Amino acid sequence: MTCSAFDGIFSYMPKTTLLLSIAFLLFSGGTIPGQTASQYDLVITNARIIDGTGNPWFRGSVAIKNGRIAKVGWFDASEAKETIDARDHIVAPGFIDVHAHSENVFEQPNAENFIRMGVTTLITGNCGGSHTDIGEFLGKIGKTPIAINISTLIGHNSVRSRVMGLDDRAPTPDEQKKMNELVEKAMREGAVGLSTGLIYLPGTFAKTEEVVELAKSASKFGGTYASHIRDEGTAVVDAINEAINIGEQAKMPVEISHFKISAKSLWGQNQKTLGLVRAARARGMTVTVDQYAYPASSTSLDVRLPNWAVAGGREEGKKRLADPATRTKVIADMKKGMEERGFTDYSYAFVATYRPNPEFNGKNIAQIAQIGRGRDDLDSQIEQILDMYSQGGAQMVYQVMSEDDVKAIMAEPFTMIASDSGIRQFGAGVPHPRGYGNNARVLGRYVRELKIITVEDAIRKMTSLPANTFGMRDRGQIREGFAADIVIFDEKVVSDKATFDAPHQYAVGFTNVIVNGRSVFDGSKMTGAMSGQAIRGNGYRR
């Protein structure tokens, strides 16, 4: 006579004990003695682990359970549902891009250009531009599957536009109160801080005092002040001091966006600008900067015009340009500004996207003036810019930075790596290559080739430093209990392929990208997993 497994186990049990044991098995997944449930959902073996803190790499395994890191080190990996052999490659925390423009995540939910260079979390709402209903935006992420984590700032320009439009004036007390309330509401709904874009409309019209009051509203909830400062060219020193002053008055951390020197006449003066940050930190302030790994910036064509000329929006600007005397003054101011920045013409300005005529994409203003006007002298270039502005403007790439300045800024311990990019539609326009290659370029060029920083420090700048800066308590490290955002890459191969001429090329060298415990990229393709989450700030109130 034979007996089942249940007979063998339970034949000597009293009836009550038997019933309780069966109930336990039902609620615990049906495991019985002699059988072993999978202890982990996924284990990454044969890894060289860089934990994100800046410490040297070490060998071991990483176990994941329910979207969290369950164990790190040496342990039996046989009890896992799935195993990934890292093949002695680097296993690191997923990269956190602190300066992105990813409000279009619902149109491009794969965020493939970011995922394929190891980025698992984006902080959007930068440069003063964001959704003003943060609760609705982050709530939609919970209902709409996306592959990447999203966090957001509340943008000053968006708040000011909602309350004051594009007016060039100070707010009334009532308007200031309404803006403060919008910022406080955004912080309660999960924003991680306040962003400004003091070079853009309408932020450029705001005085320091206005921004300080809004920063105080964000500071109440543990927010960070992230600023595209008022000037990155000839007045960059004053602009950095303003950002630090705002944070000091509001008693909050300061994060200076895409730190650079964009005036040729000031190239090489990075120790002066970096010294301002060092001095603020020495007196006890929390000040960090972010940087993309290229000697070129990208923003709108509109910033080439004087602020006063574009006040009130494009229609008002077009009216001014239609007046001959005003147009002459605009041209004179543009020439003066160019001379101060140390440039002789606009050959440094390349069109990324110009909807009225896509044939302009990838060409600089001098080339476009030659095509459209038969001449490429400075006056013809300026007239070309003004005409393009009147036709709706363009997104541009500006070759205005020094590689030596880029290196010096990257070497600083308080510098984070950020793309200043949006989620790209593959093949559309001729955008800045940073949206496809930024993190890979740091690891390939500045770590492996130039040895400006170590691989451990590069990972720290992409992970724990961003997490600490924006209050993400459970991300940015390979640490037990932390969210399982993980990237695996071959440090001997990792590199960017995107160029200014051919930007739509994905980074190489990444063999796996994991978001909240699920593999979203397997080294050759997106897996289809949509495990991204909304990450809310410390002031969040349900």
Side-chain angles (χ1 to χ4, degrees):
M1 178 177 178
T2 60
C3 57
S4 68
F6 278 91
D7 290 335
I9 295 169
F10 297 130
S11 58
Y12 302 106
M13 287 185 178
K15 185 174 181 181
T16 302
T17 305
L18 173 60
L19 291 174
L20 289 172
S21 299
I22 292 172
F24 171 79
L25 292 175
L26 291 173
F27 283 100
S28 63
T31 303
I32 60 174
Q35 294 181 340
T36 303
S38 297
Q39 186 172 358
Y40 307 116
D41 298 325
L42 173 66
V43 172
I44 303 168
T45 61
N46 299 320
R48 285 189 295 133
I49 300 168
I50 296 180
D51 65 7
T53 64
N55 287 331
W57 63 264
F58 59 93
R59 296 187 185 277
S61 298
V62 179
I64 297 170
K65 182 74 172 180
N66 296 328
R68 296 269 160 179
I69 296 172
K71 197 163 188 178
V72 181
W74 295 102
F75 53 88
D76 181 7
S78 63
E79 297 177 5
K81 295 177 183 177
E82 182 183 357
T83 301
I84 294 176
D85 185 350
R87 296 178 295 169
D88 209 34
H89 292 161
I90 299 295
V91 172
F95 304 152
I96 301 170
D97 190 327
V98 299
H99 192 107
H101 296 277
S102 50
E103 281 76 14
N104 66 333
V105 65
F106 305 116
E107 301 167 19
Q108 303 285 333
N110 273 334
E112 189 167 0
N113 58 304
F114 284 107
I115 292 291
R116 290 179 63 141
M117 61 175 170
V119 176
T120 57
T121 299
L122 298 173
I123 298 180
T124 193
N126 281 283
C127 294
S130 73
H131 290 275
T132 52
D133 192 334
I134 298 301
E136 180 183 19
F137 174 62
L138 294 178
K140 188 175 180 181
I141 292 172
K143 301 172 185 176
T144 305
I146 59 175
I148 199 164
N149 300 316
I150 297 288
S151 186
T152 188
L153 296 146
I154 177 67
H156 165 236
N157 288 2
S158 299
V159 169
R160 197 180 208 267
S161 296
R162 181 166 166 178
V163 174
M164 298 176 59
L166 300 177
D167 291 354
D168 180 4
R169 60 177 177 83
T172 65
D174 184 57
E175 287 169 336
Q176 183 75 59
K177 181 174 181 290
K178 287 179 179 177
M179 289 193 289
N180 292 348
E181 290 171 349
L182 281 173
V183 170
E184 292 188 16
K185 177 177 178 288
M187 296 301 296
R188 286 193 295 271
E189 291 175 344
V192 294
L194 171 72
S195 80
T196 54
L198 299 178
I199 196 173
Y200 301 120
L201 294 178
T204 187
F205 304 136
K207 305 300 182 186
T208 303
E209 294 75 20
E210 173 187 325
V211 182
V212 168
E213 290 307 307
L214 295 174
K216 288 178 178 178
S217 294
S219 179
K220 295 177 186 177
F221 301 90
T224 296
Y225 174 61
S227 182
H228 178 146
I229 55 179
R230 203 174 293 272
D231 192 299
E232 296 169 333
T234 54
V236 64
V237 169
D238 291 340
I240 294 169
N241 278 325
E242 180 188 31
I244 293 171
N245 177 39
I246 290 168
E248 201 157 23
Q249 289 193 58
K251 296 181 173 57
M252 68 193 303
V254 175
E255 200 275 312
I256 301 177
S257 300
H258 36 63
F259 201 82
K260 65 171 79 73
I261 299 173
S262 62
K264 192 174 183 179
S265 57
L266 296 181
W267 286 0
Q269 296 191 30
N270 55 74
Q271 292 308 301
K272 187 173 185 179
T273 58
L274 290 167
L276 299 173
V277 179
R278 295 189 198 113
R281 292 178 64 85
R283 63 178 184 266
M285 286 191 66
T286 301
V287 183
T288 54
V289 308
D290 70 56
Q291 172 195 44
Y292 43 80
Y294 300 82
S297 62
S298 180
T299 189
S300 70
L301 181 68
D302 297 13
V303 300
R304 299 278 66 89
L305 280 68
N307 289 337
W308 64 265
V310 296
R314 195 169 307 279
E315 291 307 313
E316 290 300 314
K318 287 165 65 175
K319 290 177 185 177
R320 294 187 185 98
L321 293 176
D323 175 66
T326 306
R327 192 179 187 97
T328 298
K329 187 176 186 307
V330 169
I331 292 170
D333 281 5
M334 291 175 70
K335 288 181 177 179
K336 180 181 177 183
M338 174 175 288
E339 182 180 353
E340 290 174 346
R341 291 191 299 273
F343 295 98
T344 57
D345 69 1
Y346 289 96
S347 57
Y348 67 84
F350 291 77
V351 173
T353 306
Y354 182 60
R355 289 188 174 86
N357 189 348
E359 291 182 8
F360 289 177
N361 295 348
K363 297 180 176 65
N364 66 43
I365 292 297
Q367 293 169 328
I368 293 169
Q370 182 66 48
I371 294 169
R373 298 170 181 275
R375 301 177 60 183
D376 64 357
D377 58 276
L378 182 57
D379 285 327
S380 297
Q381 292 178 38
I382 291 176
E383 288 294 343
Q384 184 66 48
I385 290 172
L386 298 182
D387 286 355
M388 291 171 66
Y389 167 81
S390 296
Q391 292 297 316
Q395 183 69 16
M396 305 292 293
V397 172
Y398 297 116
Q399 301 278 359
V400 292
M401 296 150 62
S402 159
E403 174 73 357
D404 288 340
D405 288 337
V406 172
K407 294 175 186 176
I409 293 166
M410 188 172 294
E412 289 295 323
F414 49 72
T415 299
M416 297 177 284
I417 306 303
S419 67
D420 192 14
S421 176
I423 300 174
R424 296 298 181 205
Q425 179 182 349
F426 195 86
V430 189
H432 197 299
R434 63 195 182 189
Y436 286 94
N438 190 53
N439 297 78
R441 183 175 176 82
V442 171
L443 296 169
R445 176 171 172 76
Y446 294 93
V447 172
R448 185 176 65 238
E449 296 175 10
L450 300 180
K451 296 179 172 53
I452 300 298
I453 52 177
T454 66
V455 65
E456 290 88 352
D457 197 34
I459 298 302
R460 182 188 66 85
K461 290 170 179 288
M462 300 178 188
T463 57
S464 67
L465 182 57
N468 291 338
T469 298
F470 286 95
M472 298 178 184
R473 300 193 185 105
D474 63 348
R475 295 179 196 266
Q477 294 183 46
I478 300 291
R479 182 175 176 182
E480 292 177 10
F482 274 43
D485 295 337
I486 297 173
V487 61
I488 306 173
F489 66 91
D490 183 348
E491 84 280 12
K492 297 176 182 177
V493 174
V494 64
S495 60
D496 60 314
K497 294 298 182 183
T499 65
F500 288 100
D501 293 330
H504 296 284
Q505 300 185 73
Y506 294 119
V508 298
F510 295 91
T511 59
N512 212 288
V513 179
I514 295 166
V515 178
N516 295 308
R518 297 181 64 190
S519 175
V520 297
F521 176 66
D522 66 8
S524 61
K525 66 183 186 306
M526 299 293 289
T527 66
M530 293 289 185
S531 50
Q533 298 177 2
I535 300 177
R536 294 173 171 85
N538 294 326
Y540 175 59
R541 302 287 187 271
R542 289 184 181 275

